[in-house]
Amino acid sequence: MYCATLTSLCYFVIFQDEPECVKYFYKEKVPEWGASTPGAARLCQRFVNRYHFATLYDTNHRIAVYSAYQFQPSNGGGRESRWFVEPQLVNKSWQAEMKDGYWLGKDYPGVYLGEKQALNEDFTYSGFDRGHLNPNGHHAVPSRNATFTLTNVVPQNPKLNQNSWRIHESDLTNLFKAKCSKAFVLVGAVPSAENWIVKNNVKRVNIPDYLWNAYCCVDNNDKPTQSGAATARNTEDNKVEKLTLVQLGEFLQQFSDEPVGELFYNDCRA
């Protein structure tokens, strides 16, 4: 579902209509961070007639502000060769189930799909990886397949994507399996001022300056047990900096005139 207004109220209205999506936020609290992003679209990511995660998507920069999900141990499989797009970002009356961008384009040959979202061809020969925010390795099939939507990827430096950030995601997998009954996760990007993938002299997809993530672990009684965060410059520096949630809030505050607020209910405190 697409929403053109810029208030967090709009986000809650959408999740009232699609209540399955609130479960990806601890205690069903949606962060204030990013709510005032111009052109923000609130997506409840739907695949094979099920919801799998939530995304706050910046239709102007054509990258996500963040993706929100619950960790699942992977059961293998689910490595897609397809890349999906969100039909509801093309036309609000179209169904809110991700579709293979290639075949959606064939079905609507006179309709441009990329006005409000990135397309697969934007990344071709760009020099950047299609870097998952919500990583496919943090899910079982079919949620794993659902991460292959272009609203869930950003142009990521290949060295970072294939090395330090990949290792960080793997370390989180081990931590979540060992320490968490449930793990609620946010993964986002900080857009750059003027760094874009350009196609045919058109600025198509913003190349973010930073990636970040945050997690809140809870026990069987839904009580917080552990939290943490990390940031990485989207460069060949190939370094991930581990932070607390408080430190991440201070980091994100540099990029906004509005308070960051709580990323998780009660800052994931017991």
Side-chain angles (χ1 to χ4, degrees):
M1 186 173 292
Y2 174 72
C3 180
T5 63
L6 305 180
T7 65
S8 58
L9 175 63
C10 173
Y11 209 166
F12 287 111
V13 169
I14 286 176
F15 286 147
Q16 287 171 357
D17 293 338
E18 298 169 341
E20 283 293 312
C21 239
V22 295
K23 69 182 181 184
Y24 304 115
F25 302 92
Y26 177 49
K27 296 287 189 182
E28 301 184 0
K29 176 181 172 56
V30 178
E32 296 175 11
W33 170 252
S36 63
T37 301
R42 281 74 177 180
L43 304 174
C44 199
Q45 302 282 16
R46 188 179 175 99
F47 177 69
V48 292
N49 205 33
R50 283 175 46 191
Y51 297 118
H52 300 274
F53 60 103
T55 300
L56 179 60
Y57 191 71
D58 179 347
T59 63
N60 291 334
H61 288 102
R62 301 186 187 92
I63 58 173
V65 179
Y66 63 74
S67 288
Y69 64 96
Q70 279 192 47
F71 171 79
Q72 303 170 318
S74 174
N75 54 1
R79 289 290 307 185
E80 282 284 348
S81 59
R82 301 171 293 177
W83 283 101
F84 303 115
V85 297
E86 308 297 331
Q88 70 272 37
L89 290 181
V90 182
N91 186 313
K92 287 185 283 186
S93 68
W94 291 5
Q95 64 181 16
E97 167 128 356
M98 60 184 70
K99 294 291 184 183
D100 182 335
Y102 175 81
W103 288 111
L104 188 65
K106 292 291 187 182
D107 290 341
Y108 297 93
V111 178
Y112 179 53
L113 306 182
E115 181 181 352
K116 293 179 179 174
Q117 62 188 307
L119 302 177
N120 193 33
E121 52 263 36
D122 291 326
F123 288 87
T124 304
Y125 305 119
S126 69
F128 290 89
D129 284 357
R130 298 164 182 82
H132 282 67
L133 293 181
N134 177 0
N136 68 84
H138 284 191
H139 294 278
V141 172
S143 293
R144 182 165 176 159
N145 305 72
T147 64
F148 287 82
T149 173
L150 289 158
T151 54
N152 181 49
V153 302
V154 300
Q156 190 170 2
N157 181 279
K159 188 173 182 180
L160 175 66
N161 185 42
Q162 297 168 29
N163 293 278
S164 292
W165 195 253
R166 176 188 58 80
I167 292 168
H168 175 59
E169 291 173 338
S170 179
D171 289 345
L172 288 178
T173 295
N174 295 333
L175 178 124
F176 295 158
K177 287 181 176 179
K179 302 291 186 180
C180 312
S181 176
K182 292 181 183 177
F184 296 87
V185 190
L186 297 171
V187 189
V190 177
S192 61
E194 282 298 332
N195 196 12
W196 294 75
I197 290 176
V198 177
K199 296 286 184 175
N200 298 318
N201 296 316
V202 175
K203 294 179 180 178
R204 284 294 304 151
V205 187
N206 187 268
I207 301 166
D209 281 338
Y210 290 92
L211 302 180
W212 60 270
N213 66 13
Y215 67 86
C216 176
C217 285
V218 301
D219 62 18
N220 289 326
N221 296 314
D222 214 29
K223 300 294 184 182
T225 59
Q226 190 164 342
S227 65
T231 62
R233 288 188 64 202
N234 190 23
T235 66
E236 289 193 356
D237 287 353
N238 192 33
K239 294 179 181 178
V240 175
E241 183 176 0
K242 305 292 182 63
L243 304 173
T244 65
L245 290 181
V246 171
Q247 289 171 328
L248 177 61
E250 293 170 348
F251 170 82
L252 293 176
Q253 192 63 72
Q254 303 173 75
F255 308 105
S256 177
D257 294 329
E258 299 185 10
V260 173
E262 294 178 346
L263 295 176
F264 300 104
Y265 173 80
N266 199 33
D267 283 328
C268 193
R269 294 191 297 262

